[in-house]
Amino acid sequence: MRWTTANVKHPNYTAKHELFVGTQTGSFKHLVPASEDSPHGQRNLSDLSGLDKDSRVTALAFGDDAQTEILLGRAKNTAELQPLANGAGSKKIINFKAAPIVGLARFNDKLIAGIGNGEIQSLNLASDEAAEPVVINTGNQMDHLRQCLQARNIVATGGKERQNNLKVYDLSSDGRQVFTSKNLPNDYLQLEVPVWDSDVGFVDGPSVLATCSRTGYVRLYDTRKQRRPVTCFASEEHGMSFASLVARGNYIYTGTTMGALKAFDTRRMKTHVHTYKGFTGGISDLHLDATGRYLSSASLDRYVRIHDADSTVLLYQCYVKSKVTKVLIRHVEDETPVDTEPTAEKVAHPKKDKTIKATPLDDEYEDMFDQMPTVGDSDSNSAGDSDDDAEEEEEAPTKPNTCKQKRAAPNTSVKSKKKKL
């Protein structure tokens, strides 16, 4: 598909997905690309009247494996629990003791939040709202907190500077630190290599992790082998600044602040293997669906996109009017969202199925119909038509003769005048 700034949907994109989008203005939107009527329609899930300059969405994650709950964090000290199933209750707001919230996780009945000042705060959802959170100090700055989907008791954090590098914690043992990364050796000038883990991600398990950096590196760690990265990619020549990351299988997908989306193979990290096009702004967040085939992205150019992770084809693009900071993609069973109700107009006038079954053409069968005479006219009409045609055929030859006689008359008169002269 060619590059464009319009809302597009690839004709081969038939997967049933829905998107949840958080923006810089604080709005939280719901999109259903699988809808046939309005694939680019948007619906606000948050109250726009209560938003302020500190309402920017800074964290977005699913609260359980069934993806029936969304955890939303903002630049202020508030987090929201948004249920997605019908009859699951209303939205719940939890207040933490610091801001901004850079990552959210849920383990058992506890809500865990990563704070920008380097703290991990844990609140029991069943306790009183005035209860003090349990605090785990990871450093003095944090860029992101990520929960492992295969082992939800494991979380990883990353930030700027060496003291805030990649760390892994076990929530089931009172937040015990189980791993801390080690920087690369000093360069040839014996200077420390800059560390800035702007985003972290688990690669199909709690033991293998990937990080990306604003300074231009992508690193892969194996906590079972060593503290230093087992393989890495450095972009000193290209000048890339990686801001977001998501990993699955043998591939790491990274987005840069300049609008470049790259895929790296963990078995050979010397260069990227895929490039995804269509961006005009920095990529702020990435998320894969449950199958790992569809890659959703949030960009500061106010678009959300879905790419095919294998073929890199742009399948879906939608303009959401605000700078997008976070995105989630989820598979839906039904094409209609669960929280929408049919209107009276739709019930009174149901739409007919417009699907057309295509059958292969048979040349011999088509020729047989072409040679058949037209049936439906009466015998009298056909007889009258044949008589009229016969009369027209008889009169037709006389018309050119009269024309020849009229044209010949002036020629004879001219010749007679010449003879007299």
mmCIF file of all heavy atoms in Angstrom, residues 386-407:
data_model
loop_
_atom_site.group_PDB
_atom_site.id
_atom_site.type_symbol
_atom_site.label_atom_id
_atom_site.label_comp_id
_atom_site.label_asym_id
_atom_site.label_seq_id
_atom_site.Cartn_x
_atom_site.Cartn_y
_atom_site.Cartn_z
ATOM 1 N N SER A 386 -41.146 -7.519 -38.921
ATOM 2 C CA SER A 386 -40.511 -8.022 -40.144
ATOM 3 C C SER A 386 -41.049 -7.320 -41.369
ATOM 4 O O SER A 386 -40.326 -7.035 -42.323
ATOM 5 C CB SER A 386 -40.720 -9.528 -40.247
ATOM 6 O OG SER A 386 -42.095 -9.822 -40.310
ATOM 7 N N ASP A 387 -42.425 -6.996 -41.422
ATOM 8 C CA ASP A 387 -42.997 -6.272 -42.557
ATOM 9 C C ASP A 387 -42.427 -4.882 -42.659
ATOM 10 O O ASP A 387 -42.137 -4.395 -43.746
ATOM 11 C CB ASP A 387 -44.525 -6.220 -42.418
ATOM 12 C CG ASP A 387 -45.135 -7.614 -42.489
ATOM 13 O OD1 ASP A 387 -44.475 -8.526 -43.057
ATOM 14 O OD2 ASP A 387 -46.255 -7.786 -41.966
ATOM 15 N N ASP A 388 -42.310 -4.212 -41.483
ATOM 16 C CA ASP A 388 -41.747 -2.861 -41.501
ATOM 17 C C ASP A 388 -40.320 -2.871 -41.999
ATOM 18 O O ASP A 388 -39.900 -1.988 -42.743
ATOM 19 C CB ASP A 388 -41.802 -2.256 -40.098
ATOM 20 C CG ASP A 388 -43.240 -2.061 -39.639
ATOM 21 O OD1 ASP A 388 -44.131 -2.010 -40.516
ATOM 22 O OD2 ASP A 388 -43.444 -1.964 -38.404
ATOM 23 N N ASP A 389 -39.602 -3.895 -41.613
ATOM 24 C CA ASP A 389 -38.214 -3.986 -42.069
ATOM 25 C C ASP A 389 -38.157 -4.205 -43.570
ATOM 26 O O ASP A 389 -37.285 -3.670 -44.255
ATOM 27 C CB ASP A 389 -37.508 -5.128 -41.345
ATOM 28 C CG ASP A 389 -37.397 -4.856 -39.855
ATOM 29 O OD1 ASP A 389 -37.460 -3.660 -39.459
ATOM 30 O OD2 ASP A 389 -37.233 -5.835 -39.100
ATOM 31 N N ALA A 390 -39.127 -5.006 -44.092
ATOM 32 C CA ALA A 390 -39.129 -5.253 -45.535
ATOM 33 C C ALA A 390 -39.428 -3.992 -46.305
ATOM 34 O O ALA A 390 -38.821 -3.716 -47.350
ATOM 35 C CB ALA A 390 -40.156 -6.339 -45.879
ATOM 36 N N GLU A 391 -40.395 -3.170 -45.814
ATOM 37 C CA GLU A 391 -40.710 -1.924 -46.502
ATOM 38 C C GLU A 391 -39.536 -0.972 -46.487
ATOM 39 O O GLU A 391 -39.264 -0.282 -47.472
ATOM 40 C CB GLU A 391 -41.925 -1.277 -45.836
ATOM 41 C CG GLU A 391 -43.202 -2.089 -46.041
ATOM 42 C CD GLU A 391 -44.367 -1.457 -45.318
ATOM 43 O OE1 GLU A 391 -44.136 -0.406 -44.661
ATOM 44 O OE2 GLU A 391 -45.470 -1.994 -45.393
ATOM 45 N N GLU A 392 -38.835 -0.926 -45.344
ATOM 46 C CA GLU A 392 -37.682 -0.045 -45.266
ATOM 47 C C GLU A 392 -36.600 -0.479 -46.235
ATOM 48 O O GLU A 392 -35.929 0.346 -46.846
ATOM 49 C CB GLU A 392 -37.147 -0.039 -43.841
ATOM 50 C CG GLU A 392 -38.079 0.653 -42.866
ATOM 51 C CD GLU A 392 -37.532 0.619 -41.460
ATOM 52 O OE1 GLU A 392 -36.437 0.039 -41.279
ATOM 53 O OE2 GLU A 392 -38.189 1.167 -40.561
ATOM 54 N N GLU A 393 -36.468 -1.836 -46.429
ATOM 55 C CA GLU A 393 -35.456 -2.320 -47.350
ATOM 56 C C GLU A 393 -35.805 -1.968 -48.785
ATOM 57 O O GLU A 393 -34.920 -1.720 -49.606
ATOM 58 C CB GLU A 393 -35.309 -3.835 -47.199
ATOM 59 C CG GLU A 393 -34.667 -4.230 -45.854
ATOM 60 C CD GLU A 393 -34.589 -5.721 -45.702
ATOM 61 O OE1 GLU A 393 -35.104 -6.426 -46.615
ATOM 62 O OE2 GLU A 393 -34.048 -6.171 -44.684
ATOM 63 N N GLU A 394 -37.135 -1.959 -49.131
ATOM 64 C CA GLU A 394 -37.536 -1.606 -50.487
ATOM 65 C C GLU A 394 -37.353 -0.126 -50.765
ATOM 66 O O GLU A 394 -37.003 0.276 -51.863
ATOM 67 C CB GLU A 394 -38.991 -1.996 -50.716
ATOM 68 C CG GLU A 394 -39.207 -3.516 -50.694
ATOM 69 C CD GLU A 394 -40.660 -3.875 -50.863
ATOM 70 O OE1 GLU A 394 -41.469 -2.920 -50.934
ATOM 71 O OE2 GLU A 394 -40.974 -5.071 -50.910
ATOM 72 N N GLU A 395 -37.614 0.729 -49.777
ATOM 73 C CA GLU A 395 -37.498 2.160 -49.982
ATOM 74 C C GLU A 395 -36.063 2.648 -49.910
ATOM 75 O O GLU A 395 -35.735 3.684 -50.446
ATOM 76 C CB GLU A 395 -38.331 2.901 -48.947
ATOM 77 C CG GLU A 395 -39.816 2.627 -49.095
ATOM 78 C CD GLU A 395 -40.624 3.310 -48.012
ATOM 79 O OE1 GLU A 395 -39.977 3.982 -47.163
ATOM 80 O OE2 GLU A 395 -41.849 3.172 -48.004
ATOM 81 N N ALA A 396 -35.234 1.916 -49.318
ATOM 82 C CA ALA A 396 -33.870 2.390 -49.099
ATOM 83 C C ALA A 396 -33.103 2.620 -50.378
ATOM 84 O O ALA A 396 -32.442 3.648 -50.527
ATOM 85 C CB ALA A 396 -33.128 1.394 -48.219
ATOM 86 N N PRO A 397 -33.178 1.732 -51.445
ATOM 87 C CA PRO A 397 -32.372 1.987 -52.649
ATOM 88 C C PRO A 397 -32.808 3.199 -53.443
ATOM 89 O O PRO A 397 -32.032 3.764 -54.182
ATOM 90 C CB PRO A 397 -32.565 0.704 -53.467
ATOM 91 C CG PRO A 397 -33.060 -0.316 -52.508
ATOM 92 C CD PRO A 397 -33.826 0.440 -51.493
ATOM 93 N N THR A 398 -34.099 3.668 -53.344
ATOM 94 C CA THR A 398 -34.589 4.803 -54.124
ATOM 95 C C THR A 398 -34.012 6.122 -53.661
ATOM 96 O O THR A 398 -33.915 7.056 -54.413
ATOM 97 C CB THR A 398 -36.113 4.859 -54.062
ATOM 98 O OG1 THR A 398 -36.496 5.005 -52.697
ATOM 99 C CG2 THR A 398 -36.712 3.563 -54.624
ATOM 100 N N LYS A 399 -33.629 6.227 -52.403
ATOM 101 C CA LYS A 399 -33.164 7.506 -51.868
ATOM 102 C C LYS A 399 -31.848 7.952 -52.477
ATOM 103 O O LYS A 399 -31.726 9.084 -52.897
ATOM 104 C CB LYS A 399 -33.063 7.411 -50.357
ATOM 105 C CG LYS A 399 -34.416 7.268 -49.679
ATOM 106 C CD LYS A 399 -34.283 7.211 -48.177
ATOM 107 C CE LYS A 399 -35.662 7.074 -47.548
ATOM 108 N NZ LYS A 399 -35.588 6.992 -46.080
ATOM 109 N N PRO A 400 -30.837 7.088 -52.602
ATOM 110 C CA PRO A 400 -29.604 7.572 -53.218
ATOM 111 C C PRO A 400 -29.775 7.924 -54.681
ATOM 112 O O PRO A 400 -29.101 8.797 -55.189
ATOM 113 C CB PRO A 400 -28.633 6.409 -53.028
ATOM 114 C CG PRO A 400 -29.463 5.232 -52.690
ATOM 115 C CD PRO A 400 -30.694 5.738 -52.064
ATOM 116 N N ASN A 401 -30.755 7.258 -55.458
ATOM 117 C CA ASN A 401 -30.963 7.594 -56.871
ATOM 118 C C ASN A 401 -31.503 8.988 -57.027
ATOM 119 O O ASN A 401 -31.097 9.731 -57.925
ATOM 120 C CB ASN A 401 -31.934 6.590 -57.498
ATOM 121 C CG ASN A 401 -31.328 5.187 -57.546
ATOM 122 O OD1 ASN A 401 -30.113 5.073 -57.556
ATOM 123 N ND2 ASN A 401 -32.181 4.144 -57.591
ATOM 124 N N THR A 402 -32.489 9.378 -56.219
ATOM 125 C CA THR A 402 -33.045 10.725 -56.307
ATOM 126 C C THR A 402 -31.986 11.762 -56.024
ATOM 127 O O THR A 402 -31.959 12.825 -56.615
ATOM 128 C CB THR A 402 -34.204 10.881 -55.320
ATOM 129 O OG1 THR A 402 -33.740 10.524 -54.023
ATOM 130 C CG2 THR A 402 -35.355 9.953 -55.691
ATOM 131 N N CYS A 403 -31.102 11.432 -55.111
ATOM 132 C CA CYS A 403 -30.031 12.376 -54.799
ATOM 133 C C CYS A 403 -29.109 12.539 -55.982
ATOM 134 O O CYS A 403 -28.656 13.639 -56.290
ATOM 135 C CB CYS A 403 -29.248 11.889 -53.595
ATOM 136 S SG CYS A 403 -30.226 11.873 -52.080
ATOM 137 N N LYS A 404 -28.877 11.436 -56.705
ATOM 138 C CA LYS A 404 -27.998 11.519 -57.872
ATOM 139 C C LYS A 404 -28.633 12.336 -58.981
ATOM 140 O O LYS A 404 -27.979 13.117 -59.660
ATOM 141 C CB LYS A 404 -27.685 10.120 -58.379
ATOM 142 C CG LYS A 404 -26.757 9.341 -57.442
ATOM 143 C CD LYS A 404 -26.480 7.967 -58.007
ATOM 144 C CE LYS A 404 -25.549 7.188 -57.076
ATOM 145 N NZ LYS A 404 -25.281 5.833 -57.598
ATOM 146 N N GLN A 405 -29.971 12.186 -59.143
ATOM 147 C CA GLN A 405 -30.649 12.961 -60.175
ATOM 148 C C GLN A 405 -30.631 14.440 -59.863
ATOM 149 O O GLN A 405 -30.438 15.264 -60.734
ATOM 150 C CB GLN A 405 -32.092 12.468 -60.305
ATOM 151 C CG GLN A 405 -32.185 11.036 -60.872
ATOM 152 C CD GLN A 405 -33.588 10.531 -60.913
ATOM 153 O OE1 GLN A 405 -34.511 11.247 -60.496
ATOM 154 N NE2 GLN A 405 -33.772 9.293 -61.402
ATOM 155 N N LYS A 406 -30.836 14.788 -58.605
ATOM 156 C CA LYS A 406 -30.828 16.198 -58.238
ATOM 157 C C LYS A 406 -29.464 16.801 -58.423
ATOM 158 O O LYS A 406 -29.315 17.943 -58.782
ATOM 159 C CB LYS A 406 -31.297 16.358 -56.797
ATOM 160 C CG LYS A 406 -32.774 16.045 -56.607
ATOM 161 C CD LYS A 406 -33.181 16.227 -55.160
ATOM 162 C CE LYS A 406 -34.650 15.902 -54.971
ATOM 163 N NZ LYS A 406 -35.060 16.058 -53.569
ATOM 164 N N ARG A 407 -28.452 16.036 -58.119
ATOM 165 C CA ARG A 407 -27.096 16.547 -58.281
ATOM 166 C C ARG A 407 -26.710 16.658 -59.758
ATOM 167 O O ARG A 407 -25.929 17.510 -60.136
ATOM 168 C CB ARG A 407 -26.111 15.633 -57.563
ATOM 169 C CG ARG A 407 -26.242 15.678 -56.046
ATOM 170 C CD ARG A 407 -25.315 14.691 -55.410
ATOM 171 N NE ARG A 407 -25.490 14.707 -53.962
ATOM 172 C CZ ARG A 407 -24.881 13.856 -53.148
ATOM 173 N NH1 ARG A 407 -24.068 12.917 -53.644
ATOM 174 N NH2 ARG A 407 -25.107 13.930 -51.849
#
